Amino acid sequence: MKEINLASVLVAKRREKGITQDELAAYIGVSKASVSKWETGQSYPDITFLPLLAAYFNISIDELMSYSPQMERSDIAKLYTRLAADFASRPFEDVIAECAALIKKYYSCFPLLVQLVKLYTNHFMLAGTQERQEVLLNETVTLCERIQAESGDVQLAKEAVSYQALCCLALQRPQQVLDLLGEGIRPMLPEGMLIAQAYQVMGNIGKAKETLQTELYQYVMVAFQGLLNVLQMATDHFEKAEEAFLRASDLAQIFNMKQLNPNNVILLYALGARMYCANNSHAKAIELLGNYVDTCVGAFFPFELHGDAFFDLIDPWLKDCGAAAPRSEQVIKESMLRDVLMNPAFASLQDDPGYRRLVQKMERFIGR
């Protein structure tokens, strides 16, 4: 989106038309001094003159004001990356104030609003108090509702529903999550397969292959996340939890998860370590925490989702979806230590020399 820049547009269009300030003033019914002030940015025309000026130059009022309520997707991606980094380097409320100003300024640029919803969802926990966190989450819910009601874009609306559900979970409103998503799982429709077949019939084999790869990639990631959820929730059933861990480990190896999505891999190590620690298998827990730290230190940054030798057609789709990390590198590093290694679940390992070495290694990595 460009800033309102009526002055330069007036100058350019008047010169393009080959008229003087006097002639333009006479047509509009104002003094030459008024036109001069408009063109130098000292003042703006009265709102009633805008239709006359736009009609005279055969342009829209938006064009006259050099105003567009939209932002290009590439600019949105750059803005998201910059704001995510700002959360690690600037006061939290300053960044939130800038986000609020952007929401007001680009209130009908729905692709941007979805990314700001994503930004809030990934950073609300940095707010100073629980009350402030809840305020931000409620503001995010309101923004999600606007996107669903007014964007007119099915995919953006779906994303908004998902983020709204995440916010409702964080706000401890489980019934609202069920109201949004339904109380049961419906059969998945093979939309990607149908789209790919449509491209195939049209003779666009390359696009058909890309679509199939993209859908398969998503199914793999959903299956992996599902296994992690089973592992996390089966705390009272060690055998079931361990089976989920082993199956996820196999899936990670089969699909080269460390390269496709290293965040999934470190989550697997962290959850596996918690499971084994809770069942007094301390040596196995420390082994997995060692894998966790090694992956964080050596194979995680710079974080950006991408394909591999098998998923060799999905990079454009990932880039369009926003493949960069949802939070800044420093914020992620702090979370790696705070939320995992320093988690109370590992209190029984505090005196273990191997565990202390892992903590020290991570502290050096994040610059403490």
Short mmCIF file of all heavy atoms in Angstrom, two decimals, residues 293-357:
data_model
loop_
_atom_site.label_atom_id
_atom_site.label_comp_id
_atom_site.label_asym_id
_atom_site.label_seq_id
_atom_site.Cartn_x
_atom_site.Cartn_y
_atom_site.Cartn_z
N VAL A 293 19.15 -31.03 21.88
CA VAL A 293 20.12 -29.93 21.91
C VAL A 293 20.97 -29.93 20.66
O VAL A 293 21.22 -28.88 20.05
CB VAL A 293 21.00 -30.02 23.18
CG1 VAL A 293 22.15 -29.01 23.11
CG2 VAL A 293 20.16 -29.78 24.42
N ASP A 294 21.44 -31.11 20.23
CA ASP A 294 22.28 -31.18 19.02
C ASP A 294 21.53 -30.66 17.79
O ASP A 294 22.12 -29.96 16.96
CB ASP A 294 22.73 -32.63 18.78
CG ASP A 294 23.77 -33.10 19.79
OD1 ASP A 294 24.37 -32.24 20.47
OD2 ASP A 294 23.95 -34.33 19.91
N THR A 295 20.25 -30.99 17.69
CA THR A 295 19.46 -30.52 16.55
C THR A 295 19.23 -29.02 16.63
O THR A 295 19.33 -28.31 15.62
CB THR A 295 18.10 -31.25 16.49
OG1 THR A 295 18.33 -32.67 16.45
CG2 THR A 295 17.32 -30.84 15.25
N CYS A 296 18.93 -28.52 17.82
CA CYS A 296 18.75 -27.07 18.00
C CYS A 296 20.00 -26.30 17.62
O CYS A 296 19.95 -25.27 16.93
CB CYS A 296 18.37 -26.76 19.45
SG CYS A 296 16.74 -27.33 19.96
N VAL A 297 21.14 -26.80 18.07
CA VAL A 297 22.40 -26.09 17.88
C VAL A 297 22.93 -26.24 16.45
O VAL A 297 23.42 -25.27 15.86
CB VAL A 297 23.46 -26.60 18.89
CG1 VAL A 297 24.84 -26.03 18.57
CG2 VAL A 297 23.04 -26.24 20.30
N GLY A 298 22.78 -27.44 15.89
CA GLY A 298 23.47 -27.70 14.64
C GLY A 298 22.63 -27.77 13.38
O GLY A 298 23.17 -27.68 12.27
N ALA A 299 21.31 -27.96 13.52
CA ALA A 299 20.53 -28.23 12.30
C ALA A 299 19.21 -27.48 12.25
O ALA A 299 18.35 -27.83 11.46
CB ALA A 299 20.27 -29.74 12.19
N PHE A 300 19.05 -26.45 13.07
CA PHE A 300 17.76 -25.78 13.13
C PHE A 300 17.76 -24.42 12.44
O PHE A 300 16.84 -24.10 11.70
CB PHE A 300 17.33 -25.60 14.59
CG PHE A 300 15.87 -25.28 14.75
CD1 PHE A 300 14.95 -26.28 14.93
CD2 PHE A 300 15.42 -23.97 14.72
CE1 PHE A 300 13.59 -26.00 15.08
CE2 PHE A 300 14.07 -23.66 14.86
CZ PHE A 300 13.16 -24.69 15.04
N PHE A 301 18.77 -23.62 12.68
CA PHE A 301 18.82 -22.27 12.14
C PHE A 301 19.77 -22.19 10.95
O PHE A 301 20.77 -22.90 10.91
CB PHE A 301 19.26 -21.28 13.22
CG PHE A 301 18.28 -21.18 14.36
CD1 PHE A 301 18.56 -21.78 15.59
CD2 PHE A 301 17.08 -20.50 14.22
CE1 PHE A 301 17.67 -21.70 16.64
CE2 PHE A 301 16.18 -20.41 15.27
CZ PHE A 301 16.48 -21.01 16.48
N PRO A 302 19.51 -21.32 9.99
CA PRO A 302 18.31 -20.48 9.89
C PRO A 302 17.10 -21.32 9.51
O PRO A 302 17.18 -22.17 8.63
CB PRO A 302 18.66 -19.50 8.76
CG PRO A 302 19.64 -20.24 7.93
CD PRO A 302 20.43 -21.10 8.86
N PHE A 303 15.98 -21.08 10.21
CA PHE A 303 14.79 -21.91 10.02
C PHE A 303 13.99 -21.43 8.81
O PHE A 303 13.62 -20.27 8.72
CB PHE A 303 13.90 -21.86 11.26
CG PHE A 303 12.67 -22.73 11.13
CD1 PHE A 303 12.72 -24.05 11.49
CD2 PHE A 303 11.49 -22.21 10.63
CE1 PHE A 303 11.59 -24.87 11.37
CE2 PHE A 303 10.36 -23.00 10.50
CZ PHE A 303 10.42 -24.34 10.87
N GLU A 304 13.76 -22.34 7.90
CA GLU A 304 12.87 -22.06 6.76
C GLU A 304 12.43 -23.40 6.18
O GLU A 304 13.26 -24.26 5.89
CB GLU A 304 13.57 -21.23 5.69
CG GLU A 304 12.64 -20.85 4.56
CD GLU A 304 13.29 -19.88 3.57
OE1 GLU A 304 14.51 -19.68 3.66
OE2 GLU A 304 12.56 -19.35 2.72
N LEU A 305 11.14 -23.56 6.05
CA LEU A 305 10.62 -24.80 5.50
C LEU A 305 10.95 -24.90 4.02
O LEU A 305 10.88 -23.91 3.29
CB LEU A 305 9.10 -24.87 5.69
CG LEU A 305 8.59 -24.91 7.13
CD1 LEU A 305 7.07 -24.89 7.16
CD2 LEU A 305 9.13 -26.14 7.86
N HIS A 306 11.32 -26.09 3.58
CA HIS A 306 11.62 -26.32 2.17
C HIS A 306 11.47 -27.81 1.88
O HIS A 306 11.35 -28.63 2.79
CB HIS A 306 13.02 -25.84 1.80
CG HIS A 306 14.09 -26.38 2.72
ND1 HIS A 306 14.57 -27.68 2.63
CD2 HIS A 306 14.75 -25.82 3.75
CE1 HIS A 306 15.48 -27.87 3.57
NE2 HIS A 306 15.61 -26.76 4.27
N GLY A 307 11.47 -28.14 0.60
CA GLY A 307 11.33 -29.53 0.21
C GLY A 307 12.66 -30.26 0.28
O GLY A 307 13.64 -29.79 0.84
N ASP A 308 12.68 -31.47 -0.31
CA ASP A 308 13.90 -32.26 -0.38
C ASP A 308 13.92 -32.96 -1.73
O ASP A 308 13.19 -32.58 -2.66
CB ASP A 308 14.00 -33.24 0.79
CG ASP A 308 12.87 -34.26 0.80
OD1 ASP A 308 12.03 -34.26 -0.14
OD2 ASP A 308 12.82 -35.08 1.74
N ALA A 309 14.74 -34.02 -1.86
CA ALA A 309 14.86 -34.70 -3.14
C ALA A 309 13.54 -35.34 -3.59
O ALA A 309 13.27 -35.45 -4.79
CB ALA A 309 15.96 -35.77 -3.06
N PHE A 310 12.71 -35.74 -2.63
CA PHE A 310 11.42 -36.34 -2.97
C PHE A 310 10.36 -35.26 -3.17
O PHE A 310 9.68 -35.22 -4.19
CB PHE A 310 10.97 -37.32 -1.88
CG PHE A 310 9.64 -37.97 -2.16
CD1 PHE A 310 9.55 -39.01 -3.07
CD2 PHE A 310 8.49 -37.54 -1.52
CE1 PHE A 310 8.33 -39.61 -3.35
CE2 PHE A 310 7.27 -38.13 -1.79
CZ PHE A 310 7.18 -39.17 -2.71
N PHE A 311 10.23 -34.38 -2.19
CA PHE A 311 9.28 -33.26 -2.30
C PHE A 311 10.00 -32.10 -3.00
O PHE A 311 10.30 -31.07 -2.40
CB PHE A 311 8.80 -32.83 -0.92
CG PHE A 311 7.88 -33.82 -0.26
CD1 PHE A 311 8.33 -34.59 0.81
CD2 PHE A 311 6.58 -34.00 -0.70
CE1 PHE A 311 7.49 -35.50 1.43
CE2 PHE A 311 5.73 -34.91 -0.08
CZ PHE A 311 6.19 -35.66 0.98
N ASP A 312 10.24 -32.30 -4.30
CA ASP A 312 11.06 -31.33 -5.02
C ASP A 312 10.25 -30.28 -5.78
O ASP A 312 10.82 -29.46 -6.51
CB ASP A 312 11.98 -32.07 -6.01
CG ASP A 312 11.21 -32.92 -7.02
OD1 ASP A 312 10.02 -33.17 -6.79
OD2 ASP A 312 11.82 -33.33 -8.02
N LEU A 313 8.92 -30.28 -5.58
CA LEU A 313 8.08 -29.31 -6.30
C LEU A 313 7.28 -28.41 -5.36
O LEU A 313 6.43 -27.64 -5.83
CB LEU A 313 7.09 -30.05 -7.22
CG LEU A 313 7.71 -30.92 -8.31
CD1 LEU A 313 6.62 -31.68 -9.06
CD2 LEU A 313 8.53 -30.08 -9.29
N ILE A 314 7.54 -28.50 -4.05
CA ILE A 314 6.65 -27.81 -3.11
C ILE A 314 7.19 -26.46 -2.65
O ILE A 314 6.47 -25.72 -1.97
CB ILE A 314 6.38 -28.69 -1.86
CG1 ILE A 314 7.68 -28.90 -1.05
CG2 ILE A 314 5.78 -30.02 -2.25
CD1 ILE A 314 7.43 -29.57 0.29
N ASP A 315 8.42 -26.11 -3.00
CA ASP A 315 8.99 -24.86 -2.48
C ASP A 315 8.18 -23.62 -2.84
O ASP A 315 8.00 -22.73 -1.98
CB ASP A 315 10.44 -24.71 -2.95
CG ASP A 315 11.40 -25.56 -2.14
OD1 ASP A 315 10.94 -26.20 -1.17
OD2 ASP A 315 12.60 -25.59 -2.47
N PRO A 316 7.67 -23.49 -4.08
CA PRO A 316 6.84 -22.30 -4.37
C PRO A 316 5.61 -22.21 -3.48
O PRO A 316 5.25 -21.12 -3.02
CB PRO A 316 6.46 -22.50 -5.84
CG PRO A 316 7.53 -23.36 -6.41
CD PRO A 316 7.90 -24.30 -5.29
N TRP A 317 4.98 -23.35 -3.21
CA TRP A 317 3.81 -23.37 -2.34
C TRP A 317 4.19 -22.99 -0.92
O TRP A 317 3.49 -22.19 -0.26
CB TRP A 317 3.17 -24.75 -2.37
CG TRP A 317 2.00 -24.89 -1.44
CD1 TRP A 317 0.71 -24.51 -1.66
CD2 TRP A 317 2.02 -25.48 -0.13
NE1 TRP A 317 -0.07 -24.81 -0.57
CE2 TRP A 317 0.71 -25.40 0.39
CE3 TRP A 317 3.02 -26.06 0.66
CZ2 TRP A 317 0.37 -25.88 1.65
CZ3 TRP A 317 2.68 -26.53 1.91
CH2 TRP A 317 1.37 -26.45 2.40
N LEU A 318 5.30 -23.53 -0.43
CA LEU A 318 5.76 -23.19 0.92
C LEU A 318 6.07 -21.70 1.03
O LEU A 318 5.74 -21.06 2.03
CB LEU A 318 7.00 -24.02 1.29
CG LEU A 318 6.77 -25.49 1.58
CD1 LEU A 318 8.10 -26.22 1.72
CD2 LEU A 318 5.94 -25.67 2.85
N LYS A 319 6.71 -21.17 0.02
CA LYS A 319 7.05 -19.74 0.04
C LYS A 319 5.79 -18.90 0.07
O LYS A 319 5.71 -17.90 0.79
CB LYS A 319 7.90 -19.39 -1.17
CG LYS A 319 8.38 -17.94 -1.18
CD LYS A 319 9.30 -17.67 -2.37
CE LYS A 319 9.79 -16.23 -2.36
NZ LYS A 319 10.67 -15.94 -3.53
N ASP A 320 4.79 -19.30 -0.70
CA ASP A 320 3.54 -18.55 -0.74
C ASP A 320 2.81 -18.62 0.60
O ASP A 320 2.12 -17.68 0.99
CB ASP A 320 2.64 -19.11 -1.84
CG ASP A 320 1.41 -18.26 -2.07
OD1 ASP A 320 1.57 -17.05 -2.30
OD2 ASP A 320 0.29 -18.80 -2.01
N CYS A 321 2.99 -19.75 1.31
CA CYS A 321 2.34 -19.92 2.61
C CYS A 321 3.09 -19.23 3.74
O CYS A 321 2.56 -19.09 4.85
CB CYS A 321 2.21 -21.41 2.95
SG CYS A 321 1.05 -22.29 1.90
N GLY A 322 4.33 -18.84 3.47
CA GLY A 322 5.14 -18.23 4.52
C GLY A 322 5.96 -19.28 5.22
O GLY A 322 5.59 -19.82 6.26
N ALA A 323 7.11 -19.62 4.61
CA ALA A 323 7.91 -20.74 5.10
C ALA A 323 8.90 -20.34 6.18
O ALA A 323 9.57 -21.20 6.75
CB ALA A 323 8.67 -21.39 3.93
N ALA A 324 9.03 -19.05 6.46
CA ALA A 324 9.98 -18.62 7.48
C ALA A 324 9.44 -18.92 8.87
O ALA A 324 8.26 -19.23 9.06
CB ALA A 324 10.26 -17.13 7.32
N ALA A 325 10.31 -18.81 9.86
CA ALA A 325 9.91 -19.09 11.24
C ALA A 325 8.84 -18.09 11.69
O ALA A 325 8.91 -16.90 11.36
CB ALA A 325 11.12 -19.00 12.17
N PRO A 326 7.83 -18.55 12.45
CA PRO A 326 6.77 -17.65 12.90
C PRO A 326 7.22 -16.66 13.96
O PRO A 326 6.53 -15.69 14.23
CB PRO A 326 5.71 -18.62 13.45
CG PRO A 326 6.48 -19.83 13.86
CD PRO A 326 7.59 -19.94 12.87
N ARG A 327 8.36 -16.96 14.60
CA ARG A 327 8.92 -16.05 15.61
C ARG A 327 10.38 -15.80 15.28
O ARG A 327 11.00 -16.52 14.51
CB ARG A 327 8.77 -16.64 17.01
CG ARG A 327 7.34 -16.76 17.47
CD ARG A 327 7.24 -17.35 18.87
NE ARG A 327 7.52 -18.77 18.87
CZ ARG A 327 7.60 -19.53 19.96
NH1 ARG A 327 7.43 -18.98 21.15
NH2 ARG A 327 7.84 -20.81 19.88
N SER A 328 10.97 -14.77 15.88
CA SER A 328 12.36 -14.45 15.59
C SER A 328 13.29 -15.52 16.15
O SER A 328 12.93 -16.29 17.05
CB SER A 328 12.73 -13.09 16.21
OG SER A 328 12.85 -13.21 17.62
N GLU A 329 14.50 -15.57 15.62
CA GLU A 329 15.47 -16.59 16.05
C GLU A 329 15.75 -16.49 17.54
O GLU A 329 15.81 -17.52 18.23
CB GLU A 329 16.76 -16.42 15.24
CG GLU A 329 17.82 -17.46 15.56
CD GLU A 329 19.01 -17.40 14.61
OE1 GLU A 329 18.79 -17.19 13.40
OE2 GLU A 329 20.15 -17.58 15.08
N GLN A 330 15.93 -15.29 18.06
CA GLN A 330 16.27 -15.16 19.47
C GLN A 330 15.11 -15.59 20.37
O GLN A 330 15.31 -16.25 21.38
CB GLN A 330 16.67 -13.71 19.81
CG GLN A 330 17.21 -13.52 21.22
CD GLN A 330 18.44 -14.38 21.48
OE1 GLN A 330 19.28 -14.58 20.60
NE2 GLN A 330 18.57 -14.87 22.71
N VAL A 331 13.88 -15.24 19.99
CA VAL A 331 12.72 -15.66 20.77
C VAL A 331 12.61 -17.18 20.78
O VAL A 331 12.31 -17.80 21.80
CB VAL A 331 11.43 -15.02 20.21
CG1 VAL A 331 10.19 -15.64 20.85
CG2 VAL A 331 11.44 -13.51 20.45
N ILE A 332 12.85 -17.80 19.63
CA ILE A 332 12.79 -19.26 19.54
C ILE A 332 13.87 -19.90 20.40
O ILE A 332 13.63 -20.88 21.12
CB ILE A 332 12.94 -19.72 18.08
CG1 ILE A 332 11.73 -19.27 17.26
CG2 ILE A 332 13.07 -21.24 18.00
CD1 ILE A 332 11.87 -19.52 15.77
N LYS A 333 15.08 -19.34 20.36
CA LYS A 333 16.18 -19.89 21.17
C LYS A 333 15.86 -19.84 22.66
O LYS A 333 16.09 -20.81 23.39
CB LYS A 333 17.47 -19.13 20.88
CG LYS A 333 18.11 -19.45 19.53
CD LYS A 333 19.37 -18.64 19.33
CE LYS A 333 20.05 -18.96 18.02
NZ LYS A 333 21.28 -18.15 17.80
N GLU A 334 15.34 -18.71 23.11
CA GLU A 334 14.97 -18.59 24.52
C GLU A 334 13.91 -19.62 24.88
O GLU A 334 13.94 -20.24 25.96
CB GLU A 334 14.46 -17.18 24.81
CG GLU A 334 15.51 -16.08 24.69
CD GLU A 334 16.45 -16.04 25.88
OE1 GLU A 334 16.18 -16.73 26.88
OE2 GLU A 334 17.47 -15.33 25.79
N SER A 335 12.96 -19.83 23.99
CA SER A 335 11.91 -20.81 24.23
C SER A 335 12.46 -22.23 24.27
O SER A 335 12.00 -23.06 25.06
CB SER A 335 10.84 -20.70 23.13
OG SER A 335 9.85 -21.69 23.28
N MET A 336 13.46 -22.51 23.44
CA MET A 336 14.07 -23.84 23.43
C MET A 336 14.62 -24.21 24.80
O MET A 336 14.53 -25.35 25.24
CB MET A 336 15.20 -23.90 22.39
CG MET A 336 14.73 -23.95 20.96
SD MET A 336 16.13 -23.79 19.81
CE MET A 336 15.34 -24.27 18.26
N LEU A 337 15.21 -23.23 25.48
CA LEU A 337 15.76 -23.47 26.81
C LEU A 337 14.67 -23.45 27.87
O LEU A 337 14.54 -24.38 28.68
CB LEU A 337 16.83 -22.42 27.14
CG LEU A 337 17.45 -22.51 28.53
CD1 LEU A 337 18.21 -23.83 28.70
CD2 LEU A 337 18.37 -21.33 28.79
N ARG A 338 13.86 -22.40 27.86
CA ARG A 338 12.87 -22.19 28.92
C ARG A 338 11.77 -23.26 28.91
O ARG A 338 11.44 -23.85 29.95
CB ARG A 338 12.24 -20.81 28.76
CG ARG A 338 11.17 -20.47 29.79
CD ARG A 338 10.46 -19.17 29.45
NE ARG A 338 9.67 -19.27 28.23
CZ ARG A 338 9.99 -18.63 27.10
NH1 ARG A 338 11.04 -17.86 27.04
NH2 ARG A 338 9.22 -18.76 26.03
N ASP A 339 11.22 -23.52 27.74
CA ASP A 339 10.04 -24.38 27.66
C ASP A 339 10.36 -25.87 27.65
O ASP A 339 9.49 -26.69 27.89
CB ASP A 339 9.22 -24.04 26.41
CG ASP A 339 8.68 -22.62 26.44
OD1 ASP A 339 8.62 -22.04 27.53
OD2 ASP A 339 8.35 -22.09 25.36
N VAL A 340 11.62 -26.21 27.36
CA VAL A 340 11.97 -27.63 27.29
C VAL A 340 12.98 -28.00 28.36
O VAL A 340 12.64 -28.66 29.36
CB VAL A 340 12.51 -28.00 25.88
CG1 VAL A 340 12.90 -29.47 25.82
CG2 VAL A 340 11.44 -27.70 24.82
N LEU A 341 14.21 -27.57 28.22
CA LEU A 341 15.24 -28.01 29.17
C LEU A 341 14.95 -27.57 30.60
O LEU A 341 15.24 -28.30 31.55
CB LEU A 341 16.61 -27.49 28.73
CG LEU A 341 17.24 -28.24 27.55
CD1 LEU A 341 18.56 -27.60 27.16
CD2 LEU A 341 17.45 -29.71 27.87
N MET A 342 14.40 -26.37 30.77
CA MET A 342 14.12 -25.89 32.12
C MET A 342 12.70 -26.22 32.58
O MET A 342 12.23 -25.72 33.59
CB MET A 342 14.35 -24.37 32.18
CG MET A 342 15.74 -23.93 31.74
SD MET A 342 17.07 -24.82 32.61
CE MET A 342 16.82 -24.23 34.28
N ASN A 343 12.02 -27.07 31.83
CA ASN A 343 10.66 -27.47 32.18
C ASN A 343 10.66 -28.27 33.48
O ASN A 343 11.52 -29.12 33.70
CB ASN A 343 10.08 -28.33 31.05
CG ASN A 343 8.59 -28.53 31.18
OD1 ASN A 343 8.12 -29.15 32.11
ND2 ASN A 343 7.85 -28.00 30.22
N PRO A 344 9.71 -28.01 34.38
CA PRO A 344 9.64 -28.75 35.64
C PRO A 344 9.54 -30.26 35.46
O PRO A 344 9.85 -31.02 36.39
CB PRO A 344 8.36 -28.20 36.30
CG PRO A 344 8.19 -26.84 35.72
CD PRO A 344 8.68 -26.94 34.32
N ALA A 345 9.14 -30.70 34.27
CA ALA A 345 9.05 -32.15 34.02
C ALA A 345 10.40 -32.82 34.16
O ALA A 345 10.47 -34.04 34.40
CB ALA A 345 8.48 -32.40 32.63
N PHE A 346 11.49 -32.05 34.03
CA PHE A 346 12.83 -32.62 34.12
C PHE A 346 13.51 -32.30 35.45
O PHE A 346 14.73 -32.36 35.56
CB PHE A 346 13.69 -32.13 32.95
CG PHE A 346 13.15 -32.52 31.60
CD1 PHE A 346 12.79 -31.56 30.68
CD2 PHE A 346 12.99 -33.85 31.26
CE1 PHE A 346 12.27 -31.91 29.44
CE2 PHE A 346 12.48 -34.23 30.03
CZ PHE A 346 12.12 -33.25 29.11
N ALA A 347 12.72 -31.97 36.46
CA ALA A 347 13.28 -31.62 37.77
C ALA A 347 14.11 -32.76 38.34
O ALA A 347 15.12 -32.53 39.02
CB ALA A 347 12.16 -31.25 38.73
N SER A 348 13.72 -33.99 38.06
CA SER A 348 14.45 -35.14 38.61
C SER A 348 15.82 -35.31 37.98
O SER A 348 16.64 -36.11 38.47
CB SER A 348 13.63 -36.42 38.39
OG SER A 348 13.37 -36.64 37.02
N LEU A 349 16.11 -34.57 36.91
CA LEU A 349 17.41 -34.68 36.23
C LEU A 349 18.36 -33.57 36.63
O LEU A 349 19.51 -33.54 36.16
CB LEU A 349 17.21 -34.64 34.70
CG LEU A 349 16.28 -35.68 34.08
CD1 LEU A 349 16.20 -35.46 32.57
CD2 LEU A 349 16.76 -37.09 34.38
N GLN A 350 17.92 -32.65 37.50
CA GLN A 350 18.70 -31.45 37.79
C GLN A 350 20.12 -31.75 38.27
O GLN A 350 21.06 -31.00 37.97
CB GLN A 350 17.98 -30.61 38.85
CG GLN A 350 16.62 -30.08 38.42
CD GLN A 350 16.73 -29.06 37.30
OE1 GLN A 350 17.66 -28.26 37.25
NE2 GLN A 350 15.77 -29.08 36.39
N ASP A 351 20.30 -32.83 39.00
CA ASP A 351 21.62 -33.13 39.56
C ASP A 351 22.45 -34.04 38.67
O ASP A 351 23.59 -34.37 39.02
CB ASP A 351 21.46 -33.79 40.94
CG ASP A 351 20.82 -32.85 41.95
OD1 ASP A 351 21.05 -31.62 41.84
OD2 ASP A 351 20.08 -33.34 42.83
N ASP A 352 21.92 -34.44 37.54
CA ASP A 352 22.65 -35.32 36.64
C ASP A 352 23.69 -34.51 35.86
O ASP A 352 23.34 -33.52 35.21
CB ASP A 352 21.69 -36.01 35.68
CG ASP A 352 22.36 -37.07 34.85
OD1 ASP A 352 23.17 -36.71 33.96
OD2 ASP A 352 22.09 -38.27 35.09
N PRO A 353 24.97 -34.90 35.89
CA PRO A 353 26.01 -34.13 35.18
C PRO A 353 25.73 -34.01 33.69
O PRO A 353 25.99 -32.96 33.08
CB PRO A 353 27.28 -34.94 35.45
CG PRO A 353 26.99 -35.71 36.69
CD PRO A 353 25.53 -36.02 36.65
N GLY A 354 25.22 -35.09 33.09
CA GLY A 354 24.92 -35.04 31.66
C GLY A 354 23.85 -34.02 31.35
O GLY A 354 23.94 -33.29 30.35
N TYR A 355 22.84 -33.94 32.19
CA TYR A 355 21.76 -32.96 31.99
C TYR A 355 22.31 -31.55 32.15
O TYR A 355 21.99 -30.66 31.34
CB TYR A 355 20.65 -33.22 32.99
CG TYR A 355 19.55 -32.20 32.95
CD1 TYR A 355 18.56 -32.25 31.98
CD2 TYR A 355 19.50 -31.15 33.89
CE1 TYR A 355 17.54 -31.30 31.94
CE2 TYR A 355 18.49 -30.20 33.85
CZ TYR A 355 17.52 -30.29 32.88
OH TYR A 355 16.52 -29.34 32.84
N ARG A 356 23.15 -31.33 33.15
CA ARG A 356 23.70 -29.99 33.37
C ARG A 356 24.56 -29.56 32.19
O ARG A 356 24.56 -28.38 31.81
CB ARG A 356 24.51 -29.95 34.68
CG ARG A 356 23.64 -30.06 35.93
CD ARG A 356 24.36 -29.52 37.15
NE ARG A 356 25.60 -30.26 37.41
CZ ARG A 356 25.69 -31.34 38.16
NH1 ARG A 356 24.61 -31.82 38.75
NH2 ARG A 356 26.84 -31.95 38.35
N ARG A 357 25.28 -30.49 31.59
CA ARG A 357 26.10 -30.15 30.43
C ARG A 357 25.22 -29.72 29.25
O ARG A 357 25.57 -28.81 28.50
CB ARG A 357 26.98 -31.35 30.03
CG ARG A 357 28.20 -31.56 30.93
CD ARG A 357 29.19 -32.51 30.29
NE ARG A 357 28.64 -33.87 30.16
CZ ARG A 357 28.73 -34.80 31.11
NH1 ARG A 357 29.34 -34.52 32.26
NH2 ARG A 357 28.22 -35.99 30.92
#
